Amino acid sequence: MGTTDNGNTIDITVDFSGGLEMLFGNQRRHSVSLPAVDSSGKPTNMTFLIDYLCTHLMKDPRVDLFVLDKHIRPGILVLINDADWELEGEETYELQPRDNILFVSTLHGG
Amino acid sequence: MARALCANCKAERAVIKRPKNHAKLCKVCFIQVFEDEVHHTITSSKLFYPGEKVAIGASGGKDSTVLASVLKTLNERHGYGLDLVLLSIDEGIKGYRDDSLDTVKRNAVQYNMPLKIVGYDELYGWTMDQVVETIGKKGNCTYCGVFRRQALDRGAKMLGIKHVVTGHNADDVAETVLMNLLRGDLARLSRSTSIVTGDSRSEVKRSKPLKYSYEKEIVLYAHHKKLDYFSTECIYSPEAFRGSARALVKQLERVRPTAILDIVRSGEDVARLVPGEEPSSCACSGQKGAAGLVDDDVGGCGSQNGRTPGGEMAAMDKQLRDNEASEGLEIDVVKTMVEGNAARGEKRDLPIRAGNTSKGAPRQVLGNCKRCGYMSSQEICQACMLLEGLNKNRAKIQI
Ligand SMILES: [Zn+2]
Ligand SMILES: [Zn+2]
């Protein structure tokens, strides 16, 4: 079902809110270009994206505020095109061109 | 993978998976169901009366913003006849509140509600920045917390309002239940589950209409309704023990999402066992019986000893606990238990239940602070004690 455009890269937008933007240079929206397949030739999925964000986009040394034990920290919601990622296969979701991924923390002050 | 359809309307794409029952809902149905459930909480708990003036404790954060939005919606939809006001506290931390107060100011326009901002300087003669200048950063959260506790009430009183609603959600309640469980403090555990706090002795009633709402759904509600809220952390150190309880709640939620409401309900069931505590859940949601829990489960351990030994944390914790206990009601079970545990040097003062005058408890234990009149179990309330210390320090500095 995936259409990977020219086969090389997938362009998506990634949003951070609920305080997470503080970890990513205080910027809410980021345009991200990812390789269409990972190093083992599998389509790029959420696991790849999360790792990519930690290594390329995060401006803060406190990685554990975003990822804990190799998974998204409990209390952070992930929406894929506005839908709860639990409905989309979570980390196994394969990214599509023009996807919008939102990470929103529920952990900050009410 | 195949896109799930909404379990309710069966027409739109599901975007929500509800933590409490795994129901998959579309955006419109979710918003409706979320509001209906808060309405149910409000009516089954008889939280309001027609014409009541109610202050919404507004921080600009997600919980209070959602509370304001939902209350406005329900007030109009169901004709509650409430006179709603936004009430914000300015702790006087330079820069910290600027953005959140701006958010509240926008909310006031968006929701067409009057807004009153009350400063710590106005209420106590001290901003938090001045407190930190005087005592340093260590322990200042104690001051901030104690002052904040009274600030909403005092602010409401200034406005002639007798009811303050706050945005505490199910996760917050679960977190507090766990904290008190881990401390072996059943009386406070019971109180923390109550939807209404403050009684005939307090001039201002407090309630939490979002008590059964998951934090996750609150955030999703704010997201899908595109509400304007602000996220920040207190720039001063967070309370470590609460932070651990919070992390535990979130981890439990990941493994079993119903855990959060289950903890809330367990807390309510415990409250039923505690003499003098009113069951606080609505009749239809609290059907899980308390059977099986017997006295043995509450007594017979040294769990009062189990608190973090020494250190600033314990002291701060105790201070906060004493303060909260001053509003609260203790129970015979715990009292007996602690008395039986006489060897403990740490034995803390237990406020006596109001109705428990048969034992000759002096009535004034739940009286009012001699300085400020705020409800207190001591002659001088916690805030006034802290202020006294601060004012002495200020005098010293000026010399
Ligand atoms: Zn629907
Ligand atoms: Zn006082």
Side-chain angles (χ1 to χ4, degrees), chain B residues 51-189:
Chain B
E52 188 171 13
K53 201 165 185 187
V54 176
I56 301 168
S59 66
K62 58 183 164 43
D63 299 307
S64 58
T65 301
V66 166
L67 180 61
S69 171
V70 171
L71 281 185
K72 179 185 170 61
T73 302
L74 295 178
N75 193 31
E76 288 166 3
R77 182 182 299 157
H78 298 287
Y80 292 166
L82 299 180
D83 186 359
L84 297 168
V85 177
L86 295 171
L87 174 58
S88 291
I89 304 302
D90 186 352
E91 296 90 343
I93 302 172
K94 203 169 175 46
Y96 170 58
R97 275 294 174 210
D98 296 354
D99 292 326
S100 56
L101 288 179
D102 284 348
T103 308
V104 180
K105 285 173 194 165
R106 289 195 304 274
N107 290 159
V109 176
Q110 289 152 0
Y111 304 144
N112 191 25
M113 284 180 200
L115 164 66
K116 172 73 182 170
I117 299 173
V118 187
Y120 273 15
D121 50 350
E122 213 175 324
L123 294 173
Y124 304 108
W126 288 80
T127 67
M128 272 311 292
D129 281 342
Q130 290 167 339
V131 171
V132 170
E133 264 174 48
T134 308
I135 64 154
K137 284 201 175 185
K138 277 195 173 177
N140 71 75
C141 274
T142 303
Y143 288 79
C144 203
V146 168
F147 288 166
R148 184 180 293 132
R149 179 182 307 284
Q150 288 192 9
L152 281 175
D153 292 25
R154 290 185 181 205
K157 215 169 133 186
M158 276 169 57
L159 299 178
I161 298 177
K162 292 191 164 63
H163 191 169
V164 176
V165 289
T166 57
H168 291 97
N169 58 47
D171 295 52
D172 296 327
V173 176
E175 179 184 304
T176 308
V177 166
L178 282 181
M179 279 174 72
N180 288 315
L181 180 73
L182 295 172
R183 287 195 287 232
D185 193 340
L186 282 185
R188 267 188 57 193
L189 186 157

Side-chain angles (χ1 to χ4, degrees), chain A residues 1 18-19 22 68 71-75 77 79-84 86-89 102 104 106-110, chain B residues 1 3 13-17 24 59 61-64 215-216 219-220 223-224 229-233 246 250-251 254:
Chain A
M1 102 188 221
M22 285 184 264
L68 208 60
H71 296 285
I72 286 290
R73 189 189 170 99
L77 308 181
L79 301 190
I80 297 173
N81 301 321
D82 240 15
D84 191 331
E86 290 179 34
L87 298 168
E88 304 282 350
L102 167 66
V104 50
T106 67
L107 300 169
H108 298 262
Chain B
M1 58 194 290
R3 288 278 159 81
R13 170 193 167 213
V15 295
I16 308 275
K17 188 178 169 194
K24 296 171 182 174
S59 66
K62 58 183 164 43
D63 299 307
S64 58
E215 191 156 58
K216 173 177 173 174
V219 170
L220 290 173
H223 172 76
H224 289 296
Y229 71 93
F230 180 73
S231 314
T232 190
E233 281 176 295
R246 161 142 297 222
K250 295 296 180 190
Q251 275 161 4
R254 160 163 291 182

Side-chain angles (χ1 to χ4, degrees), chain B residues 8 21-22 25 63 65 86 97 114 117 126 131 139 155 162 174 184 191 207 220 231 234 258 260 323 334 358 373 395:
Chain B
N8 188 49
N21 57 12
H22 308 292
L25 296 179
D63 299 307
T65 301
L86 295 171
R97 275 294 174 210
I117 299 173
W126 288 80
V131 171
K162 292 191 164 63
R191 280 179 33 74
S207 68
L220 290 173
S231 314
C234 179
T258 56
I260 289 177
N323 179 65
V334 172
S358 60

Side-chain angles (χ1 to χ4, degrees), chain B residues 6-13 24-30:
Chain B
C6 171
N8 188 49
C9 65
K10 307 201 167 48
E12 296 296 320
R13 170 193 167 213
K24 296 171 182 174
L25 296 179
C26 73
K27 179 175 143 181
V28 173
C29 291
F30 164 69

Side-chain angles (χ1 to χ4, degrees), chain A residues 10-68:
Chain A
I10 297 177
D11 293 331
I12 61 170
T13 53
V14 179
D15 289 341
F16 299 99
S17 76
L20 284 175
E21 54 272 54
M22 285 184 264
L23 302 178
F24 294 90
N26 274 313
Q27 189 183 327
R28 185 194 153 93
R29 173 156 290 188
H30 299 255
S31 294
V32 176
S33 241
L34 301 171
V37 292
D38 65 17
S39 54
S40 62
K42 294 202 189 90
T44 295
N45 62 16
M46 286 298 289
T47 302
F48 183 95
L49 172 67
I50 291 161
D51 185 54
Y52 179 92
L53 295 176
C54 289
T55 46
H56 291 85
L57 222 55
M58 193 174 294
K59 299 279 199 294
D60 196 293
R62 295 171 295 172
V63 177
D64 62 334
L65 292 181
F66 186 57
V67 171
L68 208 60

Side-chain angles (χ1 to χ4, degrees), chain B residues 222-326:
Chain B
H223 172 76
H224 289 296
K225 282 208 79 168
K226 299 190 167 47
L227 300 184
D228 183 6
Y229 71 93
F230 180 73
S231 314
T232 190
E233 281 176 295
C234 179
I235 56 171
Y236 299 127
S237 61
E239 195 196 335
F241 192 44
R242 178 169 288 279
S244 306
R246 161 142 297 222
L248 178 57
V249 167
K250 295 296 180 190
Q251 275 161 4
L252 290 170
E253 181 187 26
R254 160 163 291 182
V255 181
R256 200 167 67 94
T258 56
I260 289 177
L261 272 188
D262 290 341
I263 293 169
V264 174
R265 300 254 151 80
S266 298
E268 291 172 352
D269 286 346
V270 169
R272 267 177 252 280
L273 300 176
V274 176
E277 297 289 340
E278 296 287 322
S280 62
S281 68
C282 70
C284 58
S285 62
Q287 282 166 357
K288 264 198 294 177
L293 269 181
V294 288
D295 285 352
D296 295 33
D297 289 323
V298 279
C301 72
S303 56
Q304 286 279 325
N305 316 348
R307 262 174 255 115
T308 338
E312 177 205 351
M313 190 55 227
M316 186 196 303
D317 219 28
K318 182 176 187 316
Q319 235 170 348
L320 282 171
R321 205 178 54 243
D322 289 349
N323 179 65
E324 195 157 310
S326 74

Side-chain angles (χ1 to χ4, degrees), chain B residues 150 154 369-374 376 379-385:
Chain B
Q150 288 192 9
R154 290 185 181 205
C369 169
K370 291 215 166 128
R371 298 225 175 120
C372 69
Y374 190 79
S376 171
E379 281 198 2
I380 309 294
C381 79
Q382 195 75 19
C384 289
M385 294 284 277

